[in-house]
Amino acid sequence: MRRRTFLRTAGAGSVVALAGCTGNGDQNGTPSDTPQDGSSGDTQQNGTTTTGDPERTLTVATYSSFTGEDTAGNYLKSAFEDDRDDVTVEFEVPENGLNQYILQKQQGSNVSADMYLGLNTAELVRAEDELDAELFLDSRGDLDRADAIKSDLEIDPEGRAVTYDTGYITLVYDEDEVDSPATFDELLEPAYEDALITQNAQQSDPGRAFLLWTIADQGEDEYLDYWQGLLDNGVRILSDWEPAYNAYLDGSAPMVVSYSTDQVYYHGPDVDMSRHQVGFIEDQGYANPEAMARFADTDTADLALEFMDFVLQPEQQAEIAVKNVQFPAVEDADPGEGFSEYAYEPPEPVTHTYDELQGKVDGWIEQWARQIAGP
Amino acid sequence: MTADRTISRALQRAALPVGVAATIAVLLVVFYYPVGHVLVSAVREGGHLTIEPIRAVLTDPFYAGVAHHLFVDPLGVPAGVVDWIAAGFPSVRLGLFGFTAYQALLSTVASVLLGLPGAYVLARYDFRGRRTIRSLTLVPFVLPSILVAVGFRAMFSRRGLANDLLGAVGLGPVELLGTLQIVVLAHAFYNAPLVTRLVTTAWEGVDRRQVESARSLGASRIRAFLHVVLPALAPAILTGAVLTFVFTFMSFPIVLTLGGLDLATVEVWIYARVQSLALQEAATLATLETVLSLAFIYVYLRYENRQVTTRGGGQSLPRERLVAGWRSLFDPRRLAIAAYVAVVAVVIVGPLVSLLVESVTDPSGSFTTAYYEFLLARQSSGAVGTVRPMPAVINSLVFGAGTLLLAIPMGVVVAVVATRGGRGSRVAEAILTAPLAVSGIVVGIGLLLTFVFGTTVAGHRLVVTGPVAIVFAHAAAAYPFVTRNVAPALGGLDPRLREVARSLGATRLRALLEVELPVIAPALLAGAAFAFAISIGEFDSTVLLAEGVDSYTMPVALERYVGTRSLGPNLGPATAMGTVLLAVTAVSFVVIDRLGGRWEP
């Protein structure tokens, strides 16, 4: 209790000594984040808070469906606020996602949020490509729970973005109409003529994941030829997951690019699950991890770090999985049977690493879009 | 007393110039400065002016299609044309710009064909509910594209109502989703009512005495129509066509949601470039797009000016009863109207009804009230960040009212400038009408880069967000519609009316307010309804400016409900919110029209 007061007044002076308490000091190199590192490990372990403390506010930027009634975001807010007194979590939901903060940084104005939740690898790459200054602080080294994260879901070699959940992009198909294709090349065969609906990779997460998956499989020099093959075989590219999925439900085509958690929505006593089969091409699924990161401009870096560790606790991970219908990022979370029974993990998750995407992903997508649009 | 009068006269005399200045000031803040900020980046690189980005676009066959030869090798063009003819006119590559213009042309033709008969029926026939239907013609115009997409899907998808009907007569199924046809159809859904609305207003303004004197001089019905009525309608038809062309040229949400990527328009591409932060390329495309749209509007304004006919505040043409005894139902004109109503039922009413049905139907097709319960639960929720329906409704109405307060004076001021004539008034009008020609994405990104992030003006950091900014942005988008409705009416007014008033000592302002406006009230009212409609339906800049939780509107709430993951792939809550939006706006239009009815001469 007194320690917290002390921390605030003593500021940077106490940092060196306290940094050790967080367990891992090797990411503390940058001057900007050192003053705030101290409190994280301690307060977390103590779990106690000061009643007389002025309110601390954490502004979390995220996507709109993460906040509001019955969402993972709102659950996290209440749980975190209950866990410590005098903390308020606020959400900011910019229409254009991370771009908002990249632009703010480019324009020289202060980034208005403390952290971002819902980052994917391609966005991280874009932030790096677009900015000279660092948008994010390093966090991974200062987190107690970092080592619990499944290693194949980590997206940032530099430890700024920390994964908190993931989806796997797969095919969803109607087994009465079609067999799940075993390989990507099979999709070019006449059996799959006019059979697949996917999404526009320029604006849709699953659409981009499917495109990247084909690039991972076919190679970056051949993927455009492969897509020409798909086009010739009648693939349809709709704007986003929702219209694509609804076109699939309407019977426009027997297969759609979607998530391996599809059955979570649809299972039920009198539901015909034959229309909701999950197909893993090449026994794979493309992992689309969602990560969180602290903005470099934040003045509550310590609180943000506490929040990140909180998000990675097994209990919160299980709740996020259920409420956000994504897989937990850590090994030791159990989202419960209702979820596990109907959410499938691919035998072999694939994804592009940060280094593979760097400087390339926007170009790949534009070339692809030109190939499709080519008027 | 005399001093008072002198001051009051001076004030009245100053009112118009002050109005012009205020209009320009609002436009500078919410439109020209932000948009200029975006467009300038298209011609500046490292602090220097350059045409390189524009040249790069024009010489790229992907963008310019076959026209890129014009910019790459102008001298080779005649030879190329000869080769093309010699090869037997093979199909040419349109390029993104060419394709965009092509689909806009198709959409315009479809909208005018679908809209004109509606104006004929509404202006020339009397029937129960005529005025209500007339009010409701604006409803499609305000619907957010996501909602229209849902309605269209419910109507025209593989299992939609249209295919059910086709199936019943042994045809189909027709796969329309993702095709050019459905994009054109959706554009017609949006714009045909616009054509109907504009032309109906013009038709009702036709002076019956002119038609009657033509007839009494021996003109046949057709001749009287061609020589008296049609010239009076032409400006409205042309306004409708040009607006439709410009809107569909800049179309993006409909193409995105109903078409596939293979139908991408320039605007879709700008959106995608903005998404990947290739802002300069986006700005270059936006500049070219804006130049083209402005050119269309300028050409049209010139034409419209010549078409204006003199007319006073005469009586409207008498309307026939639509149903006069059941035998009249078999007269060929009534049969044609019935066929037209059937087409309207499929293309315009069908999607709306399908939307209502979707809001009370679960994925398996049975009745549910779950989505309305969802809205109620949201309304009573205390959870932070919850988008509640009631504040959205209230915000929409308040912003709409604020928009009316700003857009009507702005629109009238510009209309007065436009009808004053003289050198440069067309150019001035085109510049003042520019908000019509600039896409929402460009305005949105400009606002974001300037006021939302803050801009430094004369040493002060200015940040404009929240309700006032939203109303400003809505007014800037809406007032051209007031102008477009008022200017032709004002221009067509018998100038003697004004001159008499002036000669009796009225100031220009007083003559405008007390003599001219009452006469053109129906046109003003139509403009007001449009302004309100624009405000209610506006999404692109609202969503950028509505940062806090307290300034979201109905379309923003609707968009937020689309992405509710806990409900799965389900548009139910959005369709329920859409139904609320539909109901609120429909009632508003009827109210605006009815209240306005009191002014009608």
Side-chain angles (χ1 to χ4, degrees):
Chain A
M1 161 175 195
R2 252 179 294 139
R3 160 155 283 169
R4 287 279 296 280
T5 324
F6 170 70
L7 274 175
R8 185 155 297 106
T9 46
S14 63
V15 164
V16 183
L18 286 164
C21 301
T22 62
N24 186 348
D26 59 29
Q27 295 283 338
N28 288 346
T30 58
S32 58
D33 65 333
T34 39
Q36 298 95 1
D37 283 337
S39 64
S40 62
D42 275 299
T43 42
Q44 187 119 341
Q45 277 135 28
N46 297 345
T48 55
T49 39
T50 317
T51 39
D53 255 357
E55 188 100 341
R56 296 188 297 166
T57 302
L58 181 70
T59 306
V60 181
T62 185
Y63 48 90
S64 71
S65 63
F66 201 76
T67 71
E69 190 78 34
D70 298 332
T71 56
N74 235 57
Y75 162 79
L76 283 174
K77 173 191 161 64
S78 316
F80 191 61
E81 286 173 353
D82 288 348
D83 193 62
R84 26 216 100 184
D85 293 332
D86 308 319
V87 167
T88 307
V89 177
E90 284 178 355
F91 290 110
E92 205 172 271
V93 182
E95 181 63 14
N96 48 357
L98 187 71
N99 282 350
Q100 175 97 353
Y101 305 102
I102 297 175
L103 287 170
Q104 277 183 353
K105 196 81 178 169
Q106 273 178 348
Q107 298 284 307
S109 72
N110 249 354
V111 171
S112 51
D114 296 313
M115 61 181 293
Y116 194 89
L117 209 140
L119 196 61
N120 60 44
T121 320
E123 286 172 320
L124 192 67
V125 164
R126 179 181 301 146
E128 183 77 18
D129 287 349
E130 292 288 333
L131 292 169
D132 299 325
E134 274 292 338
L135 187 61
F136 298 117
L137 296 175
D138 295 343
S139 297
R140 194 190 185 285
D142 299 328
L143 290 170
D144 294 335
R145 289 280 298 159
D147 292 335
I149 300 170
K150 296 172 189 167
S151 57
D152 55 0
L153 294 182
E154 302 230 29
I155 67 167
D156 185 4
E158 306 199 26
R160 297 157 301 186
V162 178
T163 306
Y164 64 87
D165 72 11
T166 188
Y168 294 100
I169 278 69
T170 55
L171 292 183
V172 167
Y173 67 100
D174 183 343
E175 67 182 357
D176 296 336
E177 297 270 329
V178 75
D179 294 323
S180 174
T183 65
F184 274 105
D185 289 331
E186 246 181 67
L187 274 174
L188 302 180
E189 290 173 7
Y192 294 102
E193 194 178 348
D194 297 331
L196 179 63
I197 301 175
T198 182
Q199 302 88 1
N200 186 343
Q202 293 170 308
Q203 72 224 14
S204 155
D205 276 350
R208 185 186 52 226
F210 186 66
L211 169 62
L212 291 176
W213 191 7
T214 62
I215 295 175
D217 188 78
Q218 301 283 320
E220 59 176 296
D221 296 326
E222 285 86 28
Y223 80 101
L224 287 176
D225 292 338
Y226 178 72
W227 272 89
Q228 193 55 52
L230 283 181
L231 286 172
D232 294 342
N233 209 25
V235 68
R236 284 169 62 209
I237 299 153
L238 298 180
S239 61
D240 217 335
W241 175 70
E242 185 275 321
Y245 201 89
N246 275 295
Y248 164 72
L249 288 182
D250 283 341
S252 288
M255 295 192 298
V256 64
V257 171
S258 185
Y259 294 92
S260 67
T261 45
D262 179 73
Q263 294 186 5
V264 174
Y265 297 114
Y266 285 103
H267 74 270
D270 33 58
V271 177
D272 175 12
M273 296 306 279
S274 63
R275 286 184 53 71
H276 303 286
Q277 293 302 306
V278 172
F280 295 115
I281 311 172
E282 315 270 358
D283 276 334
Q284 296 171 342
Y286 194 89
N288 192 34
E290 295 190 294
M292 52 190 169
R294 296 181 296 165
F295 284 118
D297 290 349
T298 176
D299 49 11
T300 58
D302 56 339
L303 184 60
L305 206 58
E306 283 178 45
F307 185 74
M308 289 167 86
D309 249 330
F310 184 78
V311 168
L312 293 173
Q313 299 296 327
E315 193 190 338
Q316 333 310 339
Q317 281 285 297
E319 280 294 328
I320 296 172
V322 171
K323 291 201 150 66
N324 215 25
V325 203
Q326 303 267 302
F327 288 91
V330 298
E331 305 278 4
D332 53 357
D334 176 19
E337 274 204 8
F339 181 87
S340 306
E341 192 182 336
Y342 295 104
Y344 299 100
E345 276 188 274
E348 185 200 342
V350 288
T351 197
H352 281 88
T353 65
Y354 179 82
D355 292 329
E356 287 165 340
L357 292 185
Q358 198 168 24
K360 288 192 168 161
V361 59
D362 279 339
W364 284 343
I365 292 173
E366 197 194 347
Q367 288 312 311
W368 172 85
R370 279 183 169 233
Q371 171 109 354
I372 310 290
Chain B
M1 185 75 188
T2 333
D4 274 359
R5 189 175 288 172
T6 318
I7 290 170
S8 129
R9 286 189 70 89
L11 281 178
Q12 287 190 23
R13 213 167 282 138
L16 272 179
V18 168
V20 172
T23 302
I24 290 172
V26 170
L27 285 182
L28 270 179
V29 172
V30 300
F31 182 76
Y32 280 107
Y33 174 60
V35 169
H37 189 93
V38 176
L39 300 191
V40 160
S41 65
V43 289
R44 201 165 60 183
E45 217 157 47
H48 300 286
L49 284 182
T50 170
I51 60 154
E52 187 45 43
I54 288 182
R55 204 193 63 85
V57 167
L58 291 177
T59 54
D60 185 339
F62 174 76
Y63 290 123
V66 69
H68 83 282
H69 293 295
L70 276 173
F71 306 99
V72 178
D73 177 23
L75 295 178
V77 169
V81 171
V82 170
D83 288 347
W84 177 66
I85 293 170
F89 304 101
S91 68
V92 293
R93 196 173 173 185
L94 288 171
L96 202 58
F97 278 93
F99 175 77
T100 306
Y102 170 67
Q103 67 78 24
L105 191 67
L106 291 181
S107 301
T108 305
V109 170
S111 303
V112 171
L113 287 182
L114 189 61
L116 277 186
Y120 167 72
V121 174
L122 284 175
R124 302 294 291 113
Y125 290 90
D126 228 345
F127 51 94
R128 195 184 270 270
R130 186 190 72 86
R131 286 204 49 192
T132 306
I133 290 179
R134 190 184 182 285
S135 313
L136 297 182
T137 49
L138 270 180
V139 169
F141 198 63
V142 306
L143 293 181
S145 59
I146 175 82
L147 210 59
V148 174
V150 176
F152 264 69
R153 218 157 50 201
M155 187 71 197
F156 295 105
S157 73
R158 190 63 84 89
R159 292 182 190 174
L161 205 54
N163 267 326
D164 290 350
L165 293 175
L166 280 179
V169 292
L171 294 169
V174 184
E175 183 70 65
L176 281 173
L177 291 181
T179 63
L180 183 58
Q181 285 90 324
I182 200 153
V183 169
V184 169
L185 217 53
H187 284 161
F189 170 89
Y190 267 112
N191 294 296
L194 174 92
V195 173
T196 301
R197 179 78 173 197
L198 290 166
V199 176
T200 304
T201 307
W203 213 319
E204 287 168 347
V206 173
D207 192 339
R208 70 186 289 178
R209 287 170 308 185
Q210 293 187 1
V211 180
E212 279 159 8
S213 37
R215 295 275 285 155
S216 68
L217 291 173
S220 66
R221 273 177 89 108
I222 293 175
R223 235 179 119 83
F225 177 80
L226 288 179
H227 289 274
V228 180
V229 180
L230 198 57
L233 302 187
I237 297 173
L238 208 68
T239 302
V242 170
L243 287 178
T244 304
F245 187 84
V246 169
F247 286 153
T248 53
F249 189 74
M250 301 192 300
S251 175
F252 119 88
I254 280 299
V255 180
L256 263 185
T257 47
L258 283 175
L261 179 57
D262 52 330
L263 299 175
T265 58
V266 174
E267 189 83 350
V268 168
W269 216 256
I270 293 175
Y271 175 73
R273 300 322 289 150
V274 167
Q275 294 272 49
S276 48
L277 289 182
L279 293 188
Q280 194 192 43
E281 201 180 341
T284 308
L285 292 172
T287 305
L288 290 169
E289 185 195 53
T290 306
V291 166
L292 287 171
S293 312
L294 269 180
F296 294 130
I297 287 189
Y298 175 75
V299 168
Y300 142 72
L301 287 173
R302 282 191 67 93
Y303 173 82
E304 181 196 68
N305 192 37
R306 274 189 267 133
Q307 285 301 306
V308 167
T309 49
T310 310
R311 84 187 110 102
Q315 271 185 307
S316 298
L317 292 165
R319 277 190 279 269
E320 274 179 67
R321 300 262 309 268
L322 186 59
V323 183
W326 70 272
R327 292 192 65 171
S328 71
L329 295 176
F330 295 98
D331 125 70
R333 270 190 299 154
R334 261 76 170 189
L335 285 176
I337 290 171
Y340 170 72
V341 169
V343 172
V344 167
V346 170
V347 178
I348 294 179
V349 181
L352 293 176
V353 170
S354 301
L355 180 76
L356 302 185
V357 171
E358 284 282 291
S359 77
V360 290
T361 318
D362 70 12
S364 67
S366 40
F367 176 80
T368 177
T369 55
Y371 308 137
Y372 291 94
E373 284 161 23
F374 170 93
L375 290 190
L376 288 177
R378 284 297 179 275
Q379 182 60 33
S380 55
S381 161
V384 177
T386 303
V387 175
R388 293 184 290 143
M390 241 359 242
V393 172
I394 293 168
N395 285 338
S396 278
L397 293 177
V398 169
F399 296 159
T403 303
L404 281 184
L405 285 180
L406 269 180
I408 290 180
M410 283 170 81
V412 171
V413 162
V414 176
V416 171
V417 171
T419 47
R420 188 168 281 179
R423 284 179 77 82
S425 99
R426 286 291 83 81
V427 176
E429 199 192 352
I431 290 170
L432 284 169
T433 314
L436 278 183
V438 178
S439 73
I441 297 175
V442 180
V443 178
I445 193 81
L447 284 167
L448 198 66
L449 291 178
T450 55
F451 295 115
V452 176
F453 291 163
T455 189
T456 308
V457 176
H460 295 280
R461 189 116 182 121
L462 271 180
V463 182
V464 181
T465 45
V468 174
I470 292 178
V471 170
F472 272 44
H474 287 188
Y479 82 87
F481 284 87
V482 179
T483 305
R484 296 271 49 78
N485 276 283
V486 170
L490 213 51
L493 216 55
D494 191 336
R496 282 169 301 182
L497 271 176
R498 184 173 67 227
E499 278 149 23
V500 167
R502 299 287 310 260
S503 71
L504 291 173
T507 58
R508 179 72 187 86
L509 180 69
R510 202 152 160 216
L512 177 69
L513 291 182
E514 293 182 15
V515 179
E516 291 169 283
L517 286 189
V519 177
I520 58 159
L524 191 64
L525 199 66
F530 269 115
F532 193 78
I534 301 267
S535 171
I536 294 281
E538 213 287 335
F539 179 78
D540 294 359
S541 63
T542 313
V543 81
L544 287 172
L545 296 168
E547 265 195 345
V549 285
D550 50 354
S551 46
Y552 51 83
T553 58
M554 289 190 282
V556 175
L558 195 151
E559 194 251 2
R560 294 279 148 92
Y561 293 155
V562 169
T564 308
R565 286 201 190 188
S566 52
L567 288 170
N570 192 337
L571 277 175
T575 56
M577 187 66 217
T579 305
V580 172
L581 184 151
L582 207 59
V584 171
T585 41
V587 169
S588 307
F589 293 142
V590 173
V591 168
I592 288 182
D593 259 15
R594 288 290 148 94
L595 280 183
R598 287 201 215 132
W599 309 339
E600 266 178 340

